[in-house]
Amino acid sequence: MRADVIVIGGGVMGLLSAYLLANAGKRVTLLDRSAAGSEASWAGGGIVSPLYPWRYSQAVTALAHWSQDYYPGLGQQLLALTGVDPEVHVTGLYWLDQDDQADALAWAQREGRPLHEVPVESAYAAVPSLGAGFLRAIYMSGVANVRNPRLVKALRAALQGMPLVTLREHTSVAGFVQDGARICGVRTGDGELLADHVVVTAGAWSGELLQSLGLSLPVVPVKGQMILFKCAEDFLPSMVLAGGRYAIPRRDGHILVGSTLEHVGFDKTPTEDALASLRASAETLLPGLESAELVGHWAGLRPGSPEGIPFIGEVPGHDGLWLNCGHYRNGLVLAPASCQLLADLMLGREPIIDPAPYAPLGRLG
């Protein structure tokens, strides 16, 4: 059956875009070349905030603020619907010895965000596992992390229960079907699939897909490596960030530490050098991790983009072709707002925020 919308890419952007469009009555076919949610959406940390929110443009800030408010309700909705808890875990976040602390505080005052300088002693009192020697701290209350592997599992389960959604995993897209200037479907190994609209949510691979149309989308893979420890459930009560590395507590005592930033193309092989560097950072930040069980080390590919501003909207000159990609380091935090904005634009609704900064117009080669 012909779909209203084909979504290419089953990460959090594709899953949530499909979910919102199907909820609005659209017939959606979601395609992924492997298993849904198995790339960057699975590999990331899941902090529901940009790592350094004061360093980003208003375009990123607007998406982040909307999403932060939306996440708790989304988590509850998916748990009720699927029985899978994405674990939206509110812990707050401490930044330690931040060089641009003054910029952070000015941003918080300007944006009305609950980020404040705190005595370093209060950081040590709140996080007894913190390493010695830190001199300054700023803290933002209300910051959550989402257990992203469970988020994508919950979204996938929700889609499988929706009669308007067809999920086709292990289906690669080789190109687009065109009717004049209009995009009206995709070519796969199983043949052509047709739809009124095609949405590219293929993360780091989005640029490669658009090359077949002679379009240059400035989205490139940026490798990030992470490690995972298992500790007591009360080992780390808050997220902490210092020296460019962060530690994220899950409710069950797992601690994520990340991450690297590597421009090595599509290679996502974990390396011993990164493991050593991440372990050293982890043990400086939280010395108790030296004796903790290391249970995982992996890499993922972020969709790097200029200034981290995603591409959301219809591609000019290619009617029917839409983008929701290029979120760089902030895919998980920006996903709810990005997907809601995409749905608003596709459905002709009043958009939740000004769509102009994300429009592909003038941003593609």
Side-chain angles (χ1 to χ4, degrees):
M1 181 187 295
R2 182 188 177 102
D4 295 316
V5 184
I6 291 171
V7 178
I8 308 171
V12 67
M13 293 300 162
L15 291 164
L16 190 51
S17 295
Y19 178 73
L20 294 174
L21 290 166
N23 268 337
K26 296 297 182 183
R27 294 187 307 277
V28 182
T29 297
L30 176 63
L31 308 175
D32 195 279
R33 63 187 194 128
S34 55
S38 60
E39 294 288 352
S41 298
W42 181 92
I47 301 176
V48 185
S49 169
L51 287 182
Y52 307 98
W54 55 90
R55 296 180 186 174
Y56 286 93
S57 69
Q58 184 59 35
V60 173
T61 297
L63 291 171
H65 288 182
W66 195 94
S67 295
Q68 285 164 331
D69 293 340
Y70 186 83
Y71 251 115
L74 176 64
Q76 291 165 6
Q77 187 182 118
L78 289 172
L79 174 59
L81 200 58
T82 68
V84 179
D85 188 356
E87 293 190 14
V88 180
H89 184 29
V90 180
T91 65
L93 173 57
Y94 285 94
W95 289 264
L96 302 155
D97 292 353
Q98 214 37 67
D99 288 343
D100 55 354
Q101 179 170 305
D103 294 340
L105 296 171
W107 170 86
Q109 187 167 20
R110 190 169 65 245
E111 295 290 335
R113 306 307 282 181
L115 185 154
H116 307 282
E117 184 174 9
V118 296
V120 75
E121 294 80 11
S122 72
Y124 279 103
V127 187
S129 51
L130 202 54
F134 293 109
L135 302 176
R136 293 176 298 129
I138 52 178
Y139 176 69
M140 188 154 65
S141 62
V143 183
N145 67 78
V146 61
R147 197 157 184 171
N148 37 303
R150 298 192 180 186
L151 174 65
V152 293
K153 184 179 179 182
L155 284 167
R156 183 179 181 277
L159 293 183
Q160 287 182 310
M162 301 175 83
L164 291 177
V165 175
T166 302
L167 176 60
R168 295 182 59 162
E169 296 173 299
H170 307 287
T171 302
S172 292
V173 172
F176 297 91
V177 180
Q178 295 178 260
D179 180 7
R182 184 170 186 83
I183 303 299
C184 56
V186 298
R187 289 184 288 106
T188 76
D190 300 324
E192 293 185 350
L193 298 173
L194 302 179
D196 297 331
H197 304 277
V198 175
V199 183
V200 176
T201 61
W205 290 266
S206 298
E208 283 198 332
L209 267 175
L210 293 193
Q211 283 176 7
S212 66
L213 295 171
L215 294 170
S216 177
L217 174 71
V219 172
V220 297
V222 182
K223 182 177 175 179
Q225 299 189 49
M226 308 274 290
I227 55 176
L228 181 70
F229 295 91
K230 183 67 171 77
C231 302
E233 288 181 21
D234 60 354
F235 174 75
L236 183 61
S238 176
M239 293 181 282
V240 290
L241 191 158
R245 297 277 166 82
Y246 53 80
I248 305 169
R250 302 305 198 203
R251 286 180 184 162
D252 62 3
H254 281 97
I255 309 291
L256 277 165
V257 175
S259 68
T260 64
L261 275 174
E262 306 167 59
H263 292 267
V264 292
F266 287 94
D267 173 18
K268 51 175 197 171
T269 309
T271 64
E272 290 300 316
D273 285 350
L275 176 60
S277 173
L278 289 165
R279 284 207 78 145
S281 296
E283 291 165 16
T284 298
L285 197 53
L286 302 164
L289 292 179
E290 188 173 356
S291 57
E293 179 190 3
L294 179 69
V295 294
H297 172 213
W298 63 86
L301 298 174
R302 310 175 185 87
S305 60
E307 299 180 64
I309 299 173
F311 297 81
I312 307 169
E314 194 168 19
V315 177
H318 293 77
D319 290 352
L321 179 63
W322 298 76
L323 304 181
N324 186 10
C325 55
H327 295 75
Y328 196 19
R329 305 189 75 176
N330 297 311
L332 285 154
V333 59
L334 303 184
S338 297
C339 298
Q340 187 69 54
L341 178 59
L342 175 80
D344 288 345
L345 295 171
M346 292 186 74
L347 297 166
R349 300 187 303 213
E350 180 71 24
I352 51 162
I353 56 174
D354 179 9
Y358 321 103
L361 179 65
R363 301 177 66 204
L364 305 185

